[in-house]
Amino acid sequence: MKRHLDGHKDLTTSVDVNHSIDPNDVWVPIASGPSDMTVCVEIGSEVKIGTKLAERNNHFYLPVFSPVSGTVTEEKKMLAGDGRLHNHLHIVNNHKNESAQAFQPLDYTKASREELLDFVKNAGVLGLGGAGFPTYVKYTKVDGIEMLVINAVECEPFLTADYKAMEENMDDLKLGVLALGKLSKAAKVVLAIKENKKAMIAKLKETFAGTNVEIKAVPDVYPMGYERTLAYQLTKKNYDRLPSEIGLIINNANTAIALGKALVTGMPITHKYVTVSGDAVKNPQTMYAPVGTTSGELLKVAGGVKDGIEDVLLINGGPMMGRVVPNDQWTISQSTNGVTVMKHVKVDAVNCLRCGACVDHCPMGLEPVRIADEHKVVDYAHLVKLRAMDCIECGLCTYVCPSKIDVTEKMRRAKTFVGAKMKAAQTAKGGK
Ligand code: SF4
Ligand code: SF4
């Protein structure tokens, strides 16, 4: 079952995007996935906005570019939004905003599909909906792809980063969606957005009139923006690992905007729309911030925490699927969408009532209460049978639990346990 949640989006929907973010220094993440990247600049060198800083050279090639002009001073492990330490490049901003065109713009209508694919790869376009996966990989093999879905649902409470980005970049969005449509070779292109976004739906219909892009309003329920939920909503089909199994490619609207911008300007992703909101933030707003800005810097711009609130939860992302990070020094990456700051109200959980609400609401059809049972989280076979690894960590089971049990956290622990066991089994078999 999916559920309507109070989105609290009114806190930032009508507030202008703050384009004034210009921190004195940035820490640009140069790790992507498990592997570190090869640094392309010397420590001490001067860089401009758009200078290539690092690249990952394995089969998921990905370059990273400088978001500011200034001096590269060091490579260091810093806290990232996943709560872990990763390699970052420190750049002291000279505030001159000098830029260097990173690559040649491209007319996608004249380019061959292969040229366009190469462009997407070398421009470092990646999934901006949270996954951070290099976009070109999804389009390398498109046999059997029937539908390209542009996901503009943004179902996480408080976040309006996609909405504000679309509002400000309608032309880039159109260009990016049409270019992705060409890459996908799909007969159908659908842009999905929540049905309650009436003004935006009208604007999108006007923008895409005369194209093959259908604007599809989907129900305002959570987690409609999650890929599996959206895929099912549009096709009534489920998939096992990847949407391509049912003929779909799904990309976030912000990814299409980034591609549209790159095609026109020859510039990569250097800045990110990030919503800084939550019930503890003084002046909630969406900001257009250089990648590598710390979350604390953004929170400061938003006026900090409201007076009288002492204990807060600082979340990378939204309150449902986001990750609580221990302090505000973590860095904004290309895929960060929100910094959510919530009052931390300590609630004492009571015993499970066996009410079944978590089971009724789980969008993956799991039995969270059985998986989360303290006695079962160390029972590998039991957890595999109950499909613990299918949990998408959407947070609904915690949200609906009348006993105030953090069921999702228990699910995470169960997944970590199963994941470690699986890895150990693979290693024992001689795999990596
Ligand atoms: S967090 Fe996992 S177990 Fe809980 S409702 Fe979401 S998918 Fe189901
Ligand atoms: S919702 Fe909470 S109380 Fe109800 S069965 Fe699930 S864990 Fe137990």
Side-chain angles (χ1 to χ4, degrees):
M1 188 197 291
K2 296 171 282 288
R3 181 167 175 139
H4 172 74
L5 300 181
D6 184 350
H8 304 282
K9 305 214 182 218
D10 49 321
L11 288 173
T12 53
T13 304
S14 322
V15 180
D16 286 345
V17 174
N18 189 337
H19 283 264
S20 70
I21 316 300
D22 192 23
N24 289 334
D25 44 15
V26 291
W27 297 90
V28 182
I30 50 166
S32 179
S35 51
D36 282 336
M37 296 176 145
T38 308
V39 178
C40 311
V41 289
E42 300 281 325
I43 300 301
S45 63
E46 299 294 311
V47 292
K48 295 182 176 175
I49 300 171
T51 303
K52 195 195 282 181
L53 296 175
E55 55 189 11
R56 188 176 60 198
N57 282 311
N58 65 16
H59 53 292
F60 292 150
Y61 175 79
L62 186 69
V64 167
F65 301 85
S66 181
V68 297
S69 58
T71 312
V72 181
T73 65
E74 63 175 318
E75 182 180 338
K76 189 180 166 188
K77 287 214 185 294
M78 285 275 292
L79 189 64
D82 63 0
R84 298 192 183 142
L85 294 173
H86 293 293
N87 268 358
H88 289 70
L89 273 187
H90 180 223
I91 305 173
V92 175
N93 187 356
N94 62 17
H95 298 289
K96 291 182 184 165
N97 283 316
E98 300 160 313
S99 57
Q101 194 173 51
F103 37 80
Q104 282 303 312
L106 184 76
D107 180 347
Y108 88 91
T109 59
K110 293 191 181 137
S112 68
R113 191 183 165 278
E114 287 63 36
E115 285 167 337
L116 183 54
L117 193 64
D118 262 3
F119 179 90
V120 175
K121 178 177 178 179
N122 293 319
V125 179
L126 73 168
L128 299 186
F133 194 68
T135 298
Y136 78 92
V137 179
K138 287 187 180 181
Y139 295 84
T140 304
K141 287 189 186 139
V142 290
D143 292 345
I145 296 301
E146 289 162 12
M147 192 195 293
L148 167 64
V149 180
I150 303 298
N151 185 352
V153 177
E154 199 169 43
C155 62
E156 264 284 342
F158 292 101
L159 304 191
T160 58
D162 287 353
Y163 185 88
K164 299 304 277 184
M166 286 197 292
E167 226 176 35
E168 293 197 339
N169 301 280
M170 209 34 100
D171 290 344
D172 290 333
L173 174 66
K174 182 177 178 182
L175 195 60
V177 172
L178 295 178
L180 290 176
K182 176 170 178 169
L183 272 183
S184 72
K185 292 189 180 171
K188 199 164 179 187
V189 182
V190 167
L191 192 154
I193 181 164
K194 272 196 208 162
E195 61 192 359
N196 62 336
K197 300 277 182 288
K198 302 268 187 267
M200 181 61 81
I201 290 170
K203 182 80 189 143
L204 287 165
K205 284 190 170 163
E206 188 189 316
T207 302
F208 285 96
T211 71
N212 69 336
V213 180
E214 182 191 351
I215 309 305
K216 185 97 183 156
V218 296
D220 179 15
V221 290
Y222 181 85
M224 183 52 74
Y226 188 71
E227 276 194 358
R228 283 176 192 276
T229 318
L230 184 58
Y232 186 79
Q233 175 69 26
L234 297 174
T235 65
K236 300 293 171 246
K237 289 181 194 162
N238 288 310
Y239 57 84
D240 181 20
R241 288 180 57 244
L242 296 170
S244 57
E245 292 160 22
I246 54 168
L248 298 189
I249 292 179
I250 306 179
N251 263 133
N252 179 266
N254 242 321
T255 306
I257 291 172
L259 173 57
K261 249 188 216 317
L263 287 166
V264 175
T265 62
M267 289 298 281
I269 301 161
T270 57
H271 288 60
K272 191 65 210 297
Y273 284 85
V274 180
T275 303
V276 183
S277 189
D279 63 6
V281 176
K282 244 185 204 162
N283 305 310
Q285 57 192 280
T286 293
M287 303 177 189
Y288 188 61
V291 168
T293 311
T294 62
S295 55
E297 184 84 27
L298 299 190
L299 183 55
K300 205 160 57 181
V301 174
V305 170
K306 281 180 187 165
D307 298 337
I309 298 180
E310 282 178 7
D311 199 6
V312 295
L313 288 178
L314 195 65
I315 304 164
N316 168 20
M320 297 297 286
M321 278 212 193
R323 182 168 284 270
V324 175
V325 190
N327 64 48
D328 67 1
Q329 287 312 295
W330 55 275
T331 50
I332 301 304
S333 75
Q334 291 88 342
S335 46
T336 307
N337 291 324
V339 175
T340 306
V341 189
M342 303 294 290
K343 274 185 246 172
H344 188 200
V345 185
K346 291 195 178 78
V347 281
D348 292 326
V350 296
N351 286 341
C352 173
L353 305 169
R354 301 276 151 183
C355 68
C358 55
V359 180
D360 291 345
H361 284 82
C362 177
M364 297 304 292
L366 305 179
E367 296 178 82
V369 58
R370 291 183 66 199
I371 297 171
D373 188 321
E374 291 292 355
H375 302 292
K376 306 280 175 12
V377 289
V378 289
D379 184 341
Y380 177 71
H382 185 81
L383 291 172
V384 170
K385 201 167 150 207
L386 291 172
R387 297 167 39 228
M389 293 307 273
D390 285 355
C391 168
I392 59 172
E393 300 178 27
C394 71
L396 264 183
C397 46
T398 297
Y399 184 83
V400 297
C401 177
S403 296
K404 305 295 176 207
I405 298 168
D406 191 348
V407 191
T408 310
E409 184 50 37
K410 290 173 185 273
M411 293 298 301
R412 282 196 191 106
R413 272 189 243 153
K415 281 175 70 180
T416 306
F417 171 77
V418 174
K421 279 269 185 194
M422 283 176 164
K423 203 166 170 200
Q426 249 176 10
T427 311
K429 268 195 212 160
K432 286 197 177 168

